[in-house]
Amino acid sequence: MERVDVITGTTAAAIAAKLSKVEVIAAYPITPQSECIEVLAKFIADGELDAEYIKAESEHSAMAACIGASATGVRTFTATASQGLALMHEMLYIAAGMRLPVVMLNTNRALSAPINIWCDHQDSISERDTGWIQIYAEDNQETLDSIIQAYKIAEDEDVLLPVMVCIDGFILTHTVEPVHIPDEKKVRDYLGVYEPKHAYLDPDRPITQGPVGVPECYMETRKQISDAMEKAKKVIKRVNEEYYEIFNRRYGNGLVEGYNLEDADTVLVAMGSVCGTIKYVIDSLKEKGKNVGLLRVRTYRPFPKEDIKEMLKETENVGVLDKNISLGFNMGALGIEIMATLKGKKVCNYIVGLGGRDITLQNIEEIIKHLEESEDGETKWIGLKE
């Protein structure tokens, strides 16, 4: 029976993994994700989840264990953050290259140095080209729903790629919100049993996995992953609608979500929990007769350029908020890709919230004012000390 719990984002992710009936969990603790794997360990210890729990000696090993387990044909899960995700880097490519539907929670956190445990998106953005699908949740409810959806997307035969669900460290991992917990049987009926045709361990049907990719075939494997990413867009939209029909919740079209876009000449583009702050500012401005919109990019990989182009075709001022910076280009990754998508349109890029710097209501209002007054696209750092 569905219930409502008041829980953190990390607990929501752990419950989603349990509902999804994961069979192998491999992890190494790192702030701010540790609670997620602690909750899963308790589920197993209490007999609520029948799964193998592997306490790895590092994040590199945790992902290697997930890859090995997934290659035998079982549903796997792990969680990490920041330096831990960076340590997984080599293994992330292998999971995607072997087309293994591993699902991972990444609790976004800044990368050192200087040492910083607070939120920005530099860790996951730095892994954008590894072949993982990346979903950015706005709140704890979406965290739970996205983990469940992630298995449906990853295991689709047109996709067969790993999925990383990203949530803002401390903002979602350490704050509680009411979260609707779906009925367990309903989730398991929805996901079904994972029965891979390409990755299994059966002595009677021997196969080779992860062989050498010589020059005569390597390029084709990269093209196949690229094609699967493109096919994933359609699958993500379909899964979003199916989820709505069964659980009565959906997030835009699965790839992007528009907020107050109708007749808005000024639109902000962002990812993650800051979108809740932006919506609050938009509502406040609307009461004063000012019309500003938000386009939330929920799925960063695959990048929904066709949807963005269509939804912003009439928009005059586009401002992109980035919690990351491409050093040497003085823009954030999302800003660069939005600018490439909207060729010829004014796009300003705002670098915000690095290393957990607060993004205030006043910061959002400052961005909107600057965007409307700016004559051409430019990059502006918001909230820097004098």
Side-chain angles (χ1 to χ4, degrees):
M1 180 180 294
E2 181 167 311
R3 67 180 195 275
V4 178
D5 289 354
V6 180
I7 54 176
T8 62
T10 42
T11 296
I15 292 172
K18 172 176 171 279
L19 293 172
S20 302
K21 205 176 185 302
V22 297
E23 295 175 87
V24 173
I25 300 158
Y28 186 83
I30 182 171
T31 300
Q33 72 83 5
S34 299
E35 185 196 34
C36 179
I37 57 172
E38 290 167 359
V39 171
L40 281 166
K42 189 172 187 306
F43 285 149
I44 294 171
D46 292 346
E48 296 180 39
L49 175 63
D50 182 16
E52 188 73 28
Y53 190 97
I54 301 172
K55 292 182 284 186
E57 69 271 27
S58 72
E59 287 86 352
H60 185 281
S61 301
M63 182 50 64
C66 284
I67 290 169
S70 185
T72 69
V74 300
R75 195 169 278 164
T76 62
F77 180 78
T78 189
T80 193
S82 185
Q83 311 297 128
L85 184 64
L87 188 54
M88 286 181 177
H89 178 71
E90 176 190 4
M91 291 292 130
L92 297 181
Y93 276 97
I94 293 174
M98 291 178 66
R99 312 296 299 272
L100 299 173
V102 178
V103 172
M104 171 166 61
L105 173 74
N106 181 59
T107 57
N108 285 113
R109 173 185 141 183
L111 287 161
S112 302
I115 296 171
N116 181 294
I117 63 169
W118 291 273
C119 172
D120 67 33
H121 292 166
Q122 197 72 54
D123 56 354
S124 52
I125 290 294
S126 297
E127 307 297 347
R128 63 182 176 178
D129 297 326
T130 56
W132 282 62
I133 290 169
Q134 291 192 0
I135 297 172
Y136 289 76
E138 181 182 338
D139 55 31
N140 294 349
Q141 181 69 64
E142 188 176 357
T143 300
L144 181 141
D145 294 331
S146 297
I147 292 285
I148 296 169
Q149 290 182 7
Y151 285 105
K152 196 74 170 176
I153 297 163
E155 293 168 6
D156 189 287
E157 290 190 7
D158 283 338
V159 180
L160 292 177
L161 288 173
V163 178
M164 183 187 305
V165 175
C166 301
I167 67 173
D168 286 350
F170 290 100
I171 300 168
L172 297 185
T173 60
H174 284 62
T175 54
V176 296
E177 295 176 329
V179 173
H180 292 262
I181 312 294
D183 176 74
E184 185 167 300
K185 184 177 183 307
K186 211 169 173 181
V187 173
R188 293 185 178 181
D189 288 346
Y190 166 69
L191 288 179
V193 177
Y194 174 47
E195 294 180 338
K197 297 175 183 172
H198 72 298
Y200 55 83
L201 185 64
D202 185 348
D204 294 328
R205 296 182 299 149
I207 58 172
T208 298
Q209 297 190 55
V212 172
V214 294
E216 286 73 19
C217 69
Y218 181 86
M219 199 163 170
E220 282 70 21
T221 66
R222 308 314 289 173
K223 179 64 165 61
Q224 287 169 359
I225 295 173
S226 180
D227 291 344
M229 274 284 181
E230 288 303 310
K231 290 178 181 175
K233 295 177 183 177
K234 186 177 178 182
V235 173
I236 291 168
K237 287 182 176 180
R238 190 188 73 226
V239 166
N240 188 55
E241 286 304 310
E242 290 173 351
Y243 199 84
Y244 172 71
E245 290 172 8
I246 298 171
F247 301 103
N248 203 31
R249 286 185 295 280
R250 64 181 163 201
Y251 302 95
N253 67 5
L255 299 172
V256 293
E257 179 185 54
Y259 188 79
N260 199 48
L261 286 182
E262 191 173 353
D263 300 327
D265 290 331
T266 298
V267 172
L268 301 184
V269 181
M271 302 193 296
S273 65
V274 73
C275 293
T277 308
I278 295 171
K279 289 174 181 175
Y280 182 88
V281 173
I282 286 173
D283 291 345
S284 299
L285 292 175
K286 198 167 186 178
E287 290 176 2
K288 299 173 185 173
K290 190 175 180 62
N291 205 23
V292 176
L294 167 69
L295 190 153
R296 180 168 75 93
V297 176
R298 179 177 184 248
T299 307
Y300 177 64
R301 282 293 182 271
F303 192 69
K305 55 189 175 186
E306 298 85 0
D307 297 86
I308 292 169
K309 194 179 291 184
E310 174 63 26
M311 293 171 77
L312 298 183
K313 64 183 179 184
E314 304 294 339
T315 305
E316 186 177 333
N317 306 308
V318 178
V320 184
L321 281 67
D322 262 300
K323 284 185 170 183
N324 71 90
I325 176 67
S326 180
L327 299 171
F329 202 77
N330 195 34
M331 285 187 74
L334 182 61
I336 293 170
E337 296 187 16
I338 293 289
M339 186 174 282
T341 300
L342 304 176
K343 291 175 186 171
K345 194 179 284 289
K346 185 179 85 176
V347 177
C348 288
N349 191 209
Y350 300 95
I351 307 302
V352 296
L354 300 187
R357 181 71 55 87
D358 282 342
I359 305 171
T360 66
L361 302 180
Q362 291 74 28
N363 291 152
I364 303 299
E365 291 171 349
E366 176 190 350
I367 288 170
I368 293 169
K369 184 172 185 297
H370 175 270
L371 177 58
E372 292 180 335
E373 292 177 352
S374 176
E375 294 183 357
D376 203 353
E378 60 180 300
T379 299
K380 185 175 174 61
W381 291 58
I382 300 297
L384 282 180
K385 294 178 180 175
E386 296 294 336

